[in-house]
Amino acid sequence: MKITRYFEEQVLRKRLSIRREWCQRAVRHPEHRETQADGRVRYWIFVTELQKYLRVVTLEDGETVHNAFPDRGFRGGKP
Amino acid sequence: MKFHYYPETDSLYIDLSEKPSVDSTEVAPGVVLDFDAEGRLVGIDVDRASQIVDLSRIEASELPVTSFSLRKVDHR
């Protein structure tokens, strides 16, 4: 899995509950996917261990994981 | 408080506390707040930071600061 320096040094450091394999799964098998206005891509999966949705953001290539967090505001793609 | 900036992705993380985050919420496009297990704010994650924050200057007033450091990293 390709990752950014920010993901390695800040996201994984601060959000200790996040596992790399969940991020990889989100990118490969997302429940929901959106392309941001800036070209970066958001993916969501529901993580049973967290009992929350996880949002994973990649760079514009759609595969380099840049950010991830348990997204308390996500409602399964519905507004 | 610590500021971590990554110019290659224009990403800023502001550590308000050393505590880890257990929950997060996006409060504005590209701005995510991190909370600890007690619901206290522990960090701010800012994407495309240069479009949101003036990164060229830091000002403080009456902060009880005892140490201050600036570090420039050469990634070549």
Side-chain angles (χ1 to χ4, degrees):
Chain A
M1 180 173 77
K2 291 199 286 187
I3 60 175
T4 63
R5 199 164 60 92
Y6 184 74
F7 181 76
E8 178 77 44
E9 296 178 7
Q10 299 304 320
V11 176
L12 293 177
R13 174 189 66 82
K14 194 68 178 182
R15 300 171 185 147
L16 297 177
S17 61
I18 292 178
R19 297 185 197 156
R20 292 168 191 260
E21 57 265 32
W22 296 341
C23 299
Q24 192 165 34
R25 179 155 55 91
V27 172
R28 288 184 178 170
H29 307 289
E31 291 181 32
H32 190 71
R33 179 187 188 279
E34 283 179 10
T35 301
Q36 299 180 171
D38 64 2
R40 292 179 182 174
V41 186
R42 297 175 173 183
Y43 302 85
W44 286 266
I45 55 166
F46 187 79
V47 177
T48 307
E49 293 91 331
L50 294 175
Q51 283 298 298
K52 291 172 185 165
Y53 275 96
L54 179 73
R55 183 195 301 187
V56 176
V57 182
T58 68
L59 299 183
E60 294 83 344
D61 63 6
E63 58 176 310
T64 304
V65 174
H66 173 57
N67 207 343
F69 58 91
D71 188 356
R72 64 157 77 158
F74 185 66
R75 301 283 180 268
K78 300 182 182 112
Chain B
M1 180 158 54
K2 292 181 182 173
F3 296 82
H4 307 270
Y5 180 63
Y6 292 74
E8 70 271 26
T9 49
D10 195 16
S11 311
L12 174 67
Y13 196 86
I14 305 171
D15 247 325
L16 301 177
S17 153
E18 296 295 322
K19 286 187 171 182
S21 168
V22 300
D23 200 10
S24 312
T25 191
E26 185 179 52
V27 293
V31 180
V32 175
L33 304 183
D34 279 320
F35 300 91
D36 69 8
E38 285 76 45
R40 286 188 282 259
L41 185 64
V42 293
I44 306 171
D45 175 350
V46 186
D47 200 21
R48 303 291 186 187
S50 67
Q51 297 176 16
I52 298 173
V53 182
D54 179 0
L55 298 168
S56 66
R57 54 187 290 152
I58 295 175
E59 288 185 20
S61 176
E62 299 193 42
L63 279 175
V65 174
T66 56
S67 74
F68 179 81
S69 65
L70 274 177
R71 188 165 59 98
K72 188 167 181 67
V73 180
D74 187 350
H75 297 293
R76 284 178 299 173

